[in-house]
Amino acid sequence: MKPVRGELVVVPDAKAFAEYGARLFAEEAAAARGRFVAGLAGGSTPRALYERLAAAPWRDSIDWTRIDLVLGDERFVAPDDDKSNVRMIRDALTTHLPAAPRLHQVPFDGMTVDQAAAAYQRDLAEVHGAATLDPSRPFFDLCLLGMGDDGHTASLLPGQDDLLGERQRWVIPVTKGRPEARVTLTYPILESARVVVFLVSGAGKRDMLDRVLSGSDRDVPAARLRPVGRLIWLADRDAAGRWAD
Ligand code: 6PG
């Protein structure tokens, strides 16, 4: 079975999931000339992949000094808070590397969530060397995204049509729909990618993944993403369900 859009890769289990994801990251980084800009997903699913990247052979085969790591979204909490995505990324990946990549964290101290979103957009415009996006020069070389069992991705949440319809700003504050405020990248910049990989693991995601892959649900945020480049759904067997056959 072929998904309505993109390529589906099904791996047996969580271990193979982390291995496949880490190798894909390393291969894309190796293939890129010069700077490599990667988008990192938050939440729990990617942690094992980041831990795998921070171990041999990838840890030493990647030139981390060439790499910019950008968060797809962040919970608007202190960077050492255990709900913080940047803390998870540090604990699982960057503190274990032989050289430091440029990790672009969402600012927090002394800022409102609106100010943090605007500041992060300025930071990303510096990374890109331009304040506008051009399909011929995608922002991301690789963008890793998660998907919630409600079909949200980054902090683009179902039903928030005003935020889902944002086509100008690259970064916006999200103040409804979650216990804490969020800062999220928007469709224009998430779609500005050579390769987007949705990381979907566990039986809890099976129903939503089936709806998105089959096209029976085209409205949830994850289903709406239209990357300029490749789209890959990386799923373990538990999440893939009937798509694994
Ligand atoms: C976040 C994420 C979010 C995540 C999904 C899936 O900050 O929560 O960026 O979009 O990817 O919620 O989360 P799990 O991987 O924990 O299921």
Side-chain angles (χ1 to χ4, degrees), residues 157-178:
L157 307 176
Q160 301 200 359
D161 292 339
D162 52 337
L163 303 184
L164 297 176
E166 177 68 47
R167 298 303 304 185
Q168 301 311 319
R169 293 176 291 173
W170 301 0
V171 187
I172 54 177
V174 178
T175 54
K176 297 191 303 291
R178 287 293 182 270

Side-chain angles (χ1 to χ4, degrees), residues 42-46 73 75 85 146-148 152-154 182 205:
S44 56
T45 301
D73 71 325
R75 295 91 182 263
N85 283 334
M147 184 188 78
H152 80 265
T153 189
R182 305 280 184 103
K205 305 277 175 72

Side-chain angles (χ1 to χ4, degrees), residues 54-76:
W58 317 120
R59 176 182 180 279
D60 305 303
S61 67
I62 296 172
D63 175 0
W64 295 98
T65 63
R66 284 197 305 120
I67 298 188
D68 288 85
L69 300 175
V70 169
L71 276 74
D73 71 325
E74 180 61 284
R75 295 91 182 263
F76 194 59

Side-chain angles (χ1 to χ4, degrees), residues 26-231:
E27 287 168 359
E28 292 295 327
R33 279 194 306 283
R35 213 173 181 160
F36 180 74
V37 181
L40 297 185
S44 56
T45 301
R47 187 182 188 114
L49 188 166
Y50 301 153
E51 288 167 348
R52 188 67 197 85
L53 262 178
W58 317 120
R59 176 182 180 279
D60 305 303
S61 67
I62 296 172
D63 175 0
W64 295 98
T65 63
R66 284 197 305 120
I67 298 188
D68 288 85
L69 300 175
V70 169
L71 276 74
D73 71 325
E74 180 61 284
R75 295 91 182 263
F76 194 59
V77 294
D80 59 356
D81 187 295
D82 56 15
K83 287 202 293 292
S84 158
N85 283 334
V86 80
R87 174 170 168 187
M88 181 271 287
I89 290 164
R90 282 209 175 90
D91 294 350
L93 177 63
T94 58
T95 51
H96 310 284
L97 300 175
R102 286 174 293 276
L103 175 56
H104 299 271
Q105 74 177 56
V106 175
F108 178 78
D109 295 333
M111 287 202 178
T112 65
V113 67
D114 293 65
Q115 292 166 335
Y120 202 51
Q121 169 141 355
R122 289 192 293 275
D123 181 10
L124 299 188
E126 256 180 60
V127 170
H128 197 45
T132 54
L133 295 167
D134 170 351
S136 67
R137 191 172 73 89
F139 180 93
F140 289 112
D141 295 288
L142 175 67
C143 187
L144 303 179
L145 287 171
M147 184 188 78
D149 56 11
D150 62 355
H152 80 265
T153 189
S155 285
L156 296 171
L157 307 176
Q160 301 200 359
D161 292 339
D162 52 337
L163 303 184
L164 297 176
E166 177 68 47
R167 298 303 304 185
Q168 301 311 319
R169 293 176 291 173
W170 301 0
V171 187
I172 54 177
V174 178
T175 54
K176 297 191 303 291
R178 287 293 182 270
E180 70 288 320
R182 305 280 184 103
V183 167
T184 188
L185 271 55
T186 59
Y187 283 119
I189 189 170
L190 292 172
E191 293 173 339
S192 181
R194 297 182 198 290
V195 183
V196 169
V197 183
F198 276 99
L199 307 171
V200 190
S201 163
K205 305 277 175 72
R206 182 180 294 184
D207 175 52
M208 181 48 72
L209 186 59
D210 183 51
R211 285 159 54 181
V212 172
L213 296 179
S214 64
S216 65
D217 192 327
R218 294 172 188 265
D219 287 333
V220 294
R224 295 185 187 202
L225 196 86
R226 300 279 185 280
V228 294
R230 277 178 78 189
L231 171 63

